[in-house]
């Protein structure tokens, strides 16, 4: 089942720093859980993109960043997927069974989500 995340669907902005921290922890718990890789990756992506949408961070700038392997690699080399130089994070998230933390992909993406959402929360 596909789920579409849109910046216009903001509805659950974190109510407090504790709420934001809990939501980030929920995403982080998926990082090293490889029991059912595809299921965990899908859940990881859903939680991350739901939080990004709720924080108003599905912006053209962020989508362009996540779609660019070069931009991702400048931010963190682990966000650039080595086997296809044209793929940024969004293309890999779409094929989420390809994201695995053996190379640190989930951690690098989580770090970016955490940085963006915490900055947004502080500026609201």
């Amino acid at each position: 089942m596909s789920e579409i995340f849109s910046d216009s669907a903001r509805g659950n902005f974190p109510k407090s720093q504790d709420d934001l921290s809990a939501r980030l922890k929920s995403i982080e718990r998926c990082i090293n859980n490889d029991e059912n890789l595809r299921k965990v990756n899908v859940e990881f992506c859903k939680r991350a993109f739901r939080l990004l949408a709720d924080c108003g961070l599905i912006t053209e700038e962020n989508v362009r960043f996540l779609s660019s392997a070069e931009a991702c690699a400048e931010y963190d080399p682990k966000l650039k997927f080595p086997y296809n130089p044209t793929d940024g994070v969004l293309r890999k998230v779409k094929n989420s069974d390809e994201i695995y933390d053996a190379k640190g992909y989930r951690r690098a993406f989580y770090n970016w989500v955490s940085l963006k959402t915490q900055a947004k929360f502080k500026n609201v």
Side-chain angles (χ1 to χ4, degrees):
M1 179 176 146
S2 295
E3 190 168 339
I4 296 173
F5 299 93
S6 166
D7 199 37
S8 63
R10 289 183 238 172
N12 192 17
F13 190 83
K15 295 165 185 55
S16 65
Q17 183 63 49
D18 288 342
D19 183 27
L20 176 59
S21 295
R23 291 178 72 180
L24 287 168
K25 282 270 188 219
S26 171
I27 297 165
E28 190 175 27
R29 278 194 299 272
C30 294
I31 291 175
N32 293 316
N33 181 348
D34 289 333
E35 290 176 21
N36 182 337
L37 187 60
R38 182 163 179 75
K39 183 178 177 183
V40 170
N41 280 327
V42 169
E43 191 59 33
F44 171 78
C45 293
K46 282 182 179 181
R47 291 176 189 186
F49 278 97
R50 191 171 298 121
L51 180 58
L52 289 171
D54 287 345
C55 289
L57 291 168
I58 309 254
T59 63
E60 187 172 338
E61 178 184 352
N62 286 337
V63 170
R64 283 182 194 214
F65 169 80
L66 291 172
S67 298
S68 168
E70 291 75 25
C72 289
E74 285 177 24
Y75 171 77
D76 183 327
K78 290 189 176 181
L79 284 177
K80 183 172 180 177
F81 297 89
Y83 43 84
N84 188 343
T86 62
D87 281 353
V89 170
L90 285 182
R91 292 183 188 175
K92 291 302 167 200
V93 167
K94 189 172 88 177
N95 300 314
S96 59
D97 57 324
E98 295 179 25
I99 297 178
Y100 56 96
D101 210 40
K103 302 235 185 244
Y105 298 140
R106 280 192 220 144
R107 174 58 65 184
F109 182 58
Y110 167 80
N111 289 342
W112 182 85
V113 169
S114 179
L115 179 75
K116 288 292 191 177
T117 56
Q118 289 184 53
K120 181 73 172 195
F121 184 82
K122 288 176 184 173
N123 290 324
V124 172

